[in-house]
């Protein structure tokens, strides 16, 4: 497994991070023992970077990840706080909620400190200086080693940086969601912010496993997303078919092509990939070793040029 230095955090992490949103129950039912096996298999294959969040199953994902990594001392665990999805204010970075969330995350994970603590979504009603200052207090108290944010724009990163440097950024990025390229990736590159992207497989769109007739469990957030219904789904799956044919020519699976494409973007350090079964993580890990030429990248861009760009999930609901 190739590793990288995650920007100015200085953390050395695997190019593939194991994501655990699926362990919170928001992607439908799963078997815990099989999920544990997937985490252990990822470690055996060289993954040392694991991402979770307080909001994933209201701490359930953190608890399961903590159990799976209970005796591991050679991993980097990242979690996120600042989301209260059942409240009137779902994005909440006020002192009381972030402090409560951090303490809960420490208990859920069974650790004395968080390697990388991130604000899950920007809170428009709490000044950036207050949020950045509070996270520095967490660092000073020894509860947090490094500080990052998720889903921030360049303007929001800049405001945070005025008080305390942002070390990492976790944004969505895949072939059907490319806004990152104009904002905030240029700012992140300029300021050496470590970028690890989520949803490089488009939440399943780019795996090659979906068909126009695919349906999802009611507990799976994709059952409520326009990206996985009707014409939007049909149009993008036609593009996936073309990408699959191109991937086959290169001896790859289409999902591997999608992950390799995301990692090829200058300024992207790592990609988060989730798995509920051991076999699912193997192909994703192999994608970290794929080198795409400039001609490959140009052909991928040509194929995907008419894709329906999607927005994905937000704590307030599904768009």
């Amino acid at each position: 497994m190739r590793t990288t230095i995650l920007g100015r955090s200085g953390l050395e992490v695997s190019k593939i991070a194991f994501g655990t949103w699926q362990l919170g129950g928001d992607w439908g039912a799963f078997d815990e023992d099989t999920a544990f096996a997937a985490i252990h298999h990822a470690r055996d294959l060289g993954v040392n970077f694991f991402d979770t969040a307080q909001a994933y199953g209201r701490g359930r994902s953190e608890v399961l990840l903590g159990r799976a990594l209970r005796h591991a001392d050679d991993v980097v665990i990242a979690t996120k706080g600042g989301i209260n999805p059942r409240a009137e204010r779902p994005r909440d970075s006020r002192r009381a909620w972030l402090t409560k969330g951090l303490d809960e995350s420490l208990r859920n994970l069974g650790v004395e400190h968080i390697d990388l603590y991130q604000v899950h979504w920007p809170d428009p009603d709490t000044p950036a200086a207050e949020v950045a200052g509070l996270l520095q207090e967490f660092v000073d108290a020894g509860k947090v080693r490094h500080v990052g944010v998720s889903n921030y724009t360049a303007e929001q990163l800049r405001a945070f940086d005025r008080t305390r440097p942002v070390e990492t950024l976790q944004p969505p990025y895949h072939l059907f969601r490319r806004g990152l390229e104009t904002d905030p990736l240029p700012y992140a590159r300029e300021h050496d912010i470590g970028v690890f992207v989520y949803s490089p497989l488009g939440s399943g769109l780019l795996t090659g496993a979906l068909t126009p007739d695919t349906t999802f469990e009611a507990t799976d957030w994709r059952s409520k997303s326009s990206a996985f219904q009707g014409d939007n789904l049909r149009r993008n799956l036609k593009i996936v078919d073309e990408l699959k044919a191109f991937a086959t020519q290169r001896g790859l699976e289409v999902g591997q092509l999608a992950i390799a494409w995301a990692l090829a973007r200058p300024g992207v350090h790592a990609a988060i990939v989730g798995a509920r079964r051991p076999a699912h993580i193997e192909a994703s890990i192999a994608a970290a070793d794929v080198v795409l030429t400039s001609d490959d990248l140009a052909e991928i861009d040509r194929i995907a040029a008419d894709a329906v760009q999607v927005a994905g999930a937000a704590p307030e609901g599904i768009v």
Side-chain angles (χ1 to χ4, degrees), residues 86-99:
R86 298 181 184 177
E88 293 183 2
R89 184 171 172 172
R91 300 182 182 184
D92 191 346
S93 291
R94 289 173 292 184
R95 174 177 291 272
W97 181 252
L98 273 185
T99 301

Side-chain angles (χ1 to χ4, degrees), residues 51-191:
D51 179 76
T52 185
Q54 177 194 15
Y56 298 165
R58 299 183 69 83
R60 183 186 182 193
S61 172
E62 290 180 323
V63 170
L64 294 179
L65 182 64
R67 289 176 185 168
L69 299 177
R70 185 69 71 207
H71 302 295
D73 57 4
D74 57 348
V75 297
V76 174
I77 298 178
T79 192
K80 301 178 285 293
I83 290 295
N84 193 359
R86 298 181 184 177
E88 293 183 2
R89 184 171 172 172
R91 300 182 182 184
D92 191 346
S93 291
R94 289 173 292 184
R95 174 177 291 272
W97 181 252
L98 273 185
T99 301
K100 180 176 184 291
L102 173 61
D103 289 340
E104 288 181 355
S105 292
L106 288 166
R107 287 194 297 271
N108 290 340
L109 289 164
V111 297
E112 295 181 354
H113 67 266
I114 304 295
D115 298 313
L116 174 59
Y117 192 73
Q118 307 155 90
V119 179
H120 203 150
W121 284 81
D123 174 0
D125 297 318
T126 301
E130 290 184 19
V131 180
L134 177 59
L135 266 61
Q136 182 59 50
E137 289 180 27
F138 293 164
V139 173
D140 294 339
K143 293 183 176 183
V144 170
R145 293 284 176 84
H146 299 278
V147 167
V149 297
S150 181
N151 300 301
Y152 270 47
T153 65
E155 181 180 354
Q156 291 162 339
L157 290 171
R158 188 177 295 109
F160 195 106
D161 265 344
R162 294 190 187 107
T163 299
R164 202 267 184 210
V166 179
E167 296 179 70
T168 67
L169 170 68
Q170 183 182 146
Y173 187 52
H174 55 79
L175 274 163
F176 300 153
R177 184 168 184 169
R178 301 185 61 169
L180 170 73
E181 295 169 8
T182 54
D183 184 353
L185 188 57
Y187 181 90
R189 289 175 60 189
E190 180 183 354
H191 294 85

